[in-house]
Amino acid sequence: MPNIKKILIANRGEIALRVMRTAREMGIKTVAIYSEADRKALHVRYADEAFCVGPPPSKESYLRMDAIIDVAEQAGADAIHPGYGFLSENAAFAAKVAKAGLIFIGPSPASIEVMGSKLAAKEAVSHYNIPMVPGIQTAITDIPKAKKQAAEVGYPILIKASAGGGGKGMRIVNEESEFEEQMQRAISEAESAFGDGAVFIEKYITSPRHIEVQVLGDQHGNAIHLFERECSIQRRHQKVIEEAPSSVYGEEKRKAIGEAAVRVAKACDYYGAGTVEFIVDENLDFFFLEMNTRLQVEHPVTEQITGIDLVRQQILVAEGKPLEIKQEDLKIHGHSLEVRVYAEDPANSFLPDIGKLVTYVRPQGLGVRVDDGFEEGMDIPIYYDPMIAK
């Protein structure tokens, strides 16, 4: 089994620093990459070596797969950690890394690909007894037939454009008398927005919660879950506050959702750290939504309640070692809450903002953890995510 001696972190900011801290604790050397805008960034100063990969825009720097792999080879790194965002869920990048003879600290390209498509993911997990949102997952334009299907699913239902996105071609129908009118509207909206009028039908979940489960698998077929995180507080479809564990789940539901998440991981032979997302209805029943094949922004809340370093586990799994933790060893210690801190202008609809960080004081004290990538006096660049800290 290979022992990783030097890791290139294909990312920036707080997640790059987060990965480097664990690598340093494990005695592993680190290589940073940076764009011209990040020349003075903390992750560049913290790493053992740092290389510029291009101008500020991401596509000219942090998204340049071949340039990043070239730097890894030049620096003598034997592995690449993608962090989250950028290339972390890019199956082509994972394949290129492996082809270059380097270790990708993450799942296989095949797992990334399957879970990257919502319909392929649903198909993959459908054989593993995973609860799904009730509905008809095939496209339809025939109104009488669709009406019959809607009655089978049970109202309220959601009509969704098959080719859709951004809420277009989507209609909530509360009762049968509204169905035909809403179906026609959804079809015409889908036709004008996407040139495709096909829609599908699923149960509409009222007052939904968003609960996700942290999973960990190795390359020997073992998989465990590290309990759930509550991520229902969102704005513009972005999570802003996350906590672990969820305050609505008792022991029985917690065990059930955790076991379902492990089955999802097994459905795609998953290894490494991943997150299975569920939508939860008012009866607290859960339904599979999707899987994120990477470390999440909110992974620290899970680390806080379990005492497990997820980055360390990712590295050990990438080295081919079997999981050192068993499900029965894991216990929840206390409760953890994560708040994201953004550079935004409250006077302008809380849109991302830039400029000098004039005052920046980190909170300190027992039980407080701050993951960040900035310090006082630094400039917030325009090119990247506006999150300063969490």
Side-chain angles (χ1 to χ4, degrees):
M1 282 187 290
N3 269 350
I4 294 171
K5 294 181 181 65
K6 191 186 273 194
I7 298 174
L8 178 140
I9 295 87
N11 218 298
R12 65 181 294 279
E14 59 89 17
I15 187 59
L17 277 165
R18 158 76 195 94
V19 174
M20 287 172 193
R21 276 199 299 274
T22 288
R24 187 172 279 188
E25 282 171 14
M26 294 173 77
I28 298 169
K29 295 259 186 253
T30 57
V31 181
I33 58 167
Y34 63 93
S35 73
E36 287 161 9
D38 278 338
R39 195 174 290 281
K40 294 179 178 167
L42 297 187
H43 76 281
V44 175
R45 303 207 313 249
Y46 189 90
D48 294 299
E49 297 168 71
F51 295 79
C52 183
V53 284
S58 302
K59 65 174 186 297
E60 294 172 38
S61 51
Y62 295 107
L63 294 174
R64 290 177 63 204
M65 301 188 205
D66 294 332
I68 292 167
I69 292 169
D70 285 348
V71 167
E73 290 175 331
Q74 200 182 323
D78 38 21
I80 292 181
H81 193 302
Y84 51 67
F86 293 137
L87 298 167
S88 63
E89 290 181 284
N90 189 310
F93 181 61
K96 274 178 183 271
V97 171
K99 196 175 174 197
L102 301 165
I103 296 168
F104 181 74
I105 302 177
S108 68
S111 296
I112 296 173
E113 199 152 342
V114 168
M115 289 300 161
S117 150
K118 285 187 172 60
L119 285 174
K122 284 184 174 182
E123 170 56 30
V125 306
S126 64
H127 312 292
Y128 284 79
N129 188 26
I130 314 287
M132 309 272 229
V133 177
I136 317 293
Q137 293 298 335
T138 49
I140 190 165
T141 47
D142 178 332
I143 291 180
K145 194 175 171 190
K147 195 172 185 177
K148 189 165 174 276
Q149 288 182 350
E152 285 166 20
V153 172
Y155 291 92
I157 57 139
L158 194 59
I159 302 173
K160 276 183 174 173
S162 186
K168 291 189 171 71
M170 196 186 278
R171 285 280 181 273
I172 298 162
V173 188
N174 290 305
E175 52 192 57
E176 196 167 345
S177 60
E178 305 168 7
F179 182 81
E180 286 185 33
E181 186 193 346
Q182 297 293 8
M183 176 86 176
Q184 277 161 345
R185 280 188 182 175
I187 290 171
S188 67
E189 205 172 287
E191 272 170 359
S192 64
F194 314 110
D196 177 358
V199 295
F200 64 96
I201 290 164
E202 63 183 31
K203 182 85 177 156
Y204 177 62
I205 307 286
T206 50
S207 317
R209 281 178 176 271
H210 186 121
I211 292 181
E212 61 187 30
V213 180
Q214 177 70 56
V215 292
L216 202 54
D218 64 20
Q219 298 183 50
H220 307 277
N222 303 306
I224 58 170
H225 70 84
L226 289 89
F227 311 112
E228 82 287 356
R229 297 186 285 256
E230 171 78 60
C231 303
S232 301
I233 298 179
Q234 299 185 9
R235 179 195 62 173
R236 303 195 281 257
H237 301 296
Q238 280 279 334
K239 301 165 189 168
V240 286
I241 295 177
E242 303 100 348
E243 60 181 308
S246 168
S247 57
V248 299
Y249 266 5
E251 225 28 69
E252 201 176 307
K253 280 281 189 194
R254 177 164 294 127
K255 187 169 183 283
I257 200 169
E259 286 170 355
V262 169
R263 291 198 297 277
V264 170
K266 294 199 165 176
C268 66
D269 300 321
Y270 196 85
Y271 57 81
T275 295
V276 183
E277 306 209 349
F278 296 92
I279 190 164
V280 176
D281 68 13
E282 57 212 337
N283 304 320
L284 303 186
D285 291 327
F286 57 86
F287 306 97
F288 173 71
L289 202 56
E290 62 183 343
M291 183 176 194
N292 289 316
T293 55
R294 55 172 165 81
L295 207 58
Q296 298 271 90
V297 175
E298 59 274 16
H299 77 274
V301 291
T302 295
E303 295 184 326
Q304 296 291 83
I305 64 158
T306 59
I308 302 293
D309 181 334
L310 288 167
V311 174
R312 176 186 151 85
Q313 296 305 317
Q314 283 187 300
I315 293 168
L316 295 175
V317 166
E319 290 179 332
K321 295 183 172 72
L323 284 184
E324 54 182 14
I325 319 149
K326 294 197 164 36
Q327 192 67 60
E328 57 271 20
D329 301 338
L330 288 164
K331 291 195 169 41
I332 294 173
H333 304 282
H335 199 97
S336 182
L337 194 73
E338 176 178 293
V339 181
R340 300 190 190 193
V341 181
Y342 288 106
E344 294 178 342
D345 182 356
N348 185 20
S349 309
F350 287 93
L351 288 173
D353 205 4
I354 55 167
K356 189 185 276 280
L357 202 49
V358 180
T359 307
Y360 181 65
V361 183
R362 290 180 179 89
Q364 291 176 316
L366 188 63
V368 177
R369 167 175 170 176
V370 181
D371 284 24
D372 61 13
F374 288 96
E375 59 188 12
E376 203 163 274
M378 286 177 71
D379 284 318
I380 308 278
I382 196 170
Y383 307 96
Y384 315 113
D385 187 273
M387 190 170 79
I388 296 173
K390 58 193 192 196

